[in-house]
Amino acid sequence: LTHLFKKFHGRYGYKRITNELKKLGHYINHKKVYRIMRELGLKCVKFMRKSRKYNSYKGNVGKVAKNRLSRRFSTPIPL
């Protein structure tokens, strides 16, 4: 397990190491791999998934038509 972790320069977490072990023919549960990595102090720090805040901003949606009839689109100020 440690040689796989070092082989990928500490970029692989428990899920990817489990997949690599399966490719090598060692069928081991991902929970067991996670537990062993935690006990050995192996933690993937170089590769982290980025999470973003929710942002509903869409920018300028649609198109404003040209004022070809020279209409005044302002309302009169009440007295």
Side-chain angles (χ1 to χ4, degrees):
L1 205 100
T2 53
H3 72 280
L4 275 175
F5 189 77
K6 289 177 183 172
K7 179 183 173 185
F8 297 109
H9 308 288
R11 289 189 183 98
Y12 274 24
Y14 75 97
K15 289 181 181 179
R16 291 169 94 179
I17 286 182
T18 307
N19 288 337
E20 291 297 322
L21 286 169
K22 283 181 183 175
K23 287 178 190 174
L24 295 172
H26 303 287
Y27 290 95
I28 183 168
N29 196 319
H30 65 96
K31 295 176 215 171
K32 173 92 61 186
V33 174
Y34 178 77
R35 195 177 314 121
I36 293 169
M37 284 181 69
R38 194 175 56 200
E39 287 170 3
L40 295 173
L42 303 176
K43 192 171 182 183
C44 173
V45 290
K46 293 180 181 175
F47 175 78
M48 298 291 259
R49 294 199 188 274
K50 294 180 181 177
S51 61
R52 294 184 182 175
K53 284 185 172 180
Y54 175 72
N55 189 1
S56 63
Y57 179 71
K58 298 278 192 265
N60 293 332
V61 179
K63 188 170 84 172
V64 178
K66 294 179 181 177
N67 189 7
R68 292 188 175 148
L69 300 175
S70 302
R71 294 173 64 187
R72 294 188 304 270
F73 291 103
S74 57
T75 57
I77 302 170
L79 296 172

